[in-house]
Amino acid sequence: MNKHANKVLQFLTAIQDCYKEEDDRESYDFGKLELSNDELTDDFIAMLQAQKILYENITGDKVDLIGFTHIQNRLVFQHIIENEKKSESR
């Protein structure tokens, strides 16, 4: 497995572990990733790919990376609208 694929797997496992009981978590098997300005773009892409894989595993919906970012943008827009409505009702 190459370095990028390993990062995707580490981020995916960490996200999935958030939904597991403590005894069932798998993140402890991975070493620490080094934060490096030279690899920051690759890290963010790996995080995005991990989120996409999780989305596909949960929903069964197969999307490409651009389609997934569209879904994320719609969710952000929905979140902003809902927060504005809450602020107006106060």
Side-chain angles (χ1 to χ4, degrees):
M1 181 179 315
N2 68 31
K3 189 173 184 177
H4 178 80
N6 186 54
K7 285 180 184 182
V8 173
L9 181 60
Q10 284 187 263
F11 289 128
L12 176 60
T13 302
I15 294 169
Q16 289 173 328
D17 279 355
C18 293
Y19 298 99
K20 293 181 180 179
E21 296 295 331
E22 193 169 333
D23 293 342
D24 297 327
R25 294 180 181 166
E26 301 174 33
S27 292
Y28 60 85
D29 292 336
F30 295 111
K32 177 182 174 273
L33 292 175
E34 293 300 322
L35 186 59
S36 162
N37 284 338
D38 295 336
E39 295 186 18
L40 199 53
T41 297
D42 187 62
D43 288 353
F44 285 127
I45 295 297
M47 288 177 207
L48 180 62
Q49 289 172 311
Q51 291 173 353
K52 176 190 166 292
I53 293 167
L54 180 66
Y55 169 82
E56 290 178 338
N57 289 345
I58 292 171
T59 66
D61 187 19
K62 298 295 181 201
V63 295
D64 62 17
L65 209 49
I66 296 293
F68 181 65
T69 61
H70 178 71
I71 292 166
Q72 289 180 312
N73 286 330
R74 286 189 317 198
L75 290 171
V76 168
F77 184 74
Q78 177 181 331
H79 176 74
I80 290 169
I81 296 298
E82 288 174 358
N83 281 345
E84 286 178 359
K85 287 179 183 177
K86 289 177 186 175
S87 293
E88 290 173 0
S89 66
R90 288 184 202 171

